[in-house]
Amino acid sequence: MARTRNFYLIPYVAWIVLFVAAPIILVAYYSFFDVEGQFTLDNYAKFFTPIYLRMTLGSFWYAFLITAFSLLVAYPTALILTRLKHKQLWLLLIILPSWINLLLKAYAFIGLFGKYGLVNAVFEMVGIGGRQLLFNDFSFVFVSVYIFIPFMILPIYNALEELNPALIDASRDLGASAWTTFRRVIFPLTLDGVKAGCQAVFIPSLSLFMITRLIAGNRVITLGTAIEQHFLVTQDWGMGATIAVFLIIAMALIMFATGIGKRGALRG
């Protein structure tokens, strides 16, 4: 039985080694070489210079904004979905845009937010006048939230669906208001779904680069943009790999930190 179980583990282990461990090791290896292929530690020293530290702080700030706005929209949406009659259909309609290619969605927003786009046409119609909606922080955060919001809604929706309705009824029977019930019963018991959603949004938000180019017009510079620049423009693979190493470490720490509460709850 043990041999059979180990045999079935081989494809899984091979996948992890080839497509997870090997790329990480390769990235770490390239981080120790300069643009001329010479071994160096200067890439790591360079990362701690003000320009890269500001870029790191900026990346975390934008990732935080995207995650926060996604959560503010996703939680009420998921809560409403659980109370609708045809909730599976509505959930499908919300998730459906995530099946569309990211590049197509970015170009669709360029058409909507452009100078002669639909949004500016509506502004002109109501007398507000045309506005520069592209190539700024607003458009970058707005489009990013739109793209990532299904990944926030789904885990929260699943957590709400698994919530025992008897607990909510008991809270109401004991005289708790709707807000107290949400604050003391619903939200704490769905916190694992919130954490999973925040992970699914915050981590990829740290390394965005396509949206920064197309929607923000390179006015928003993130670590993902810097990696793309170093690999495709300056050809400084070592520096690009160094930034990627720090991103991997940051992502691992975030996953570890958000997983601590869940493990503690399981022990309790």
Side-chain angles (χ1 to χ4, degrees):
M1 181 68 70
R3 287 183 179 180
T4 304
R5 192 184 306 117
N6 292 336
F7 176 77
Y8 287 122
L9 282 174
I10 291 174
Y12 174 76
V13 173
W15 178 275
I16 293 296
V17 170
L18 289 174
F19 299 106
V20 178
I24 291 174
I25 292 170
L26 192 61
V27 166
Y29 170 78
Y30 275 114
S31 69
F32 291 105
F33 292 90
D34 60 19
V35 70
E36 296 176 354
Q38 302 296 318
F39 180 84
T40 183
L41 296 175
D42 289 345
N43 293 329
Y44 285 89
K46 189 177 178 182
F47 183 83
F48 290 99
T49 55
I51 184 172
Y52 284 103
L53 290 178
R54 282 197 300 270
M55 199 180 299
T56 302
L57 290 174
S59 297
F60 273 86
W61 172 243
Y62 284 115
F64 169 77
L65 287 178
I66 293 165
T67 305
F69 284 122
S70 296
L71 180 59
L72 285 173
V73 176
Y75 203 103
T77 303
L79 198 58
I80 293 168
L81 277 174
T82 58
R83 299 173 182 178
L84 294 177
K85 183 177 292 186
H86 303 292
K87 50 189 174 184
Q88 296 296 335
L89 175 61
W90 287 107
L91 184 65
L92 176 63
L93 293 176
I94 289 172
I95 296 173
L96 201 60
S98 65
W99 300 353
I100 301 172
N101 184 275
L102 178 61
L103 189 61
L104 292 177
K105 287 188 281 191
Y107 276 117
F109 273 103
I110 290 174
L112 287 171
F113 287 169
K115 185 177 180 181
Y116 303 104
L118 177 63
V119 177
N120 267 321
V122 173
F123 285 170
E124 292 282 357
M125 190 185 305
V126 298
I128 297 175
R131 293 287 186 271
Q132 176 57 268
L133 300 174
L134 287 173
F135 314 132
N136 52 42
D137 292 0
F138 163 78
S139 58
F140 171 68
V141 173
F142 184 92
V143 174
S144 299
V145 168
Y146 169 80
I147 288 169
F148 286 121
I149 206 164
F151 304 105
M152 181 71 79
I153 290 175
L154 191 58
I156 295 174
Y157 171 84
N158 289 334
L160 287 167
E161 279 288 276
E162 293 172 2
L163 184 63
N164 188 349
L167 297 173
I168 301 174
D169 294 336
S171 175
R172 298 283 176 83
D173 291 341
L174 291 171
S177 64
W179 168 245
T180 302
T181 300
F182 172 78
R183 184 170 55 89
R184 301 293 296 273
V185 179
I186 298 174
F187 187 77
L189 292 176
T190 56
L191 199 55
D192 286 341
V194 173
K195 289 179 180 179
C198 289
Q199 279 186 4
V201 174
F202 190 90
I203 290 175
S205 295
L206 280 175
S207 55
L208 286 172
F209 68 91
M210 185 187 299
I211 298 175
T212 59
R213 286 196 175 280
L214 296 176
I215 303 298
N218 277 345
R219 295 191 181 186
V220 174
I221 305 297
T222 63
L223 292 176
T225 311
I227 292 172
E228 184 206 21
Q229 284 284 103
H230 284 303
F231 273 97
L232 301 181
V233 180
T234 66
Q235 298 294 306
D236 189 354
W237 288 20
M239 194 62 223
T242 302
I243 300 171
V245 167
F246 280 100
L247 265 180
I248 292 168
I249 293 171
M251 293 172 182
L253 290 174
I254 291 165
M255 292 181 69
F256 176 75
T258 53
I260 288 175
K262 185 175 181 179
R263 289 196 296 272
L266 289 173
R267 290 195 199 98

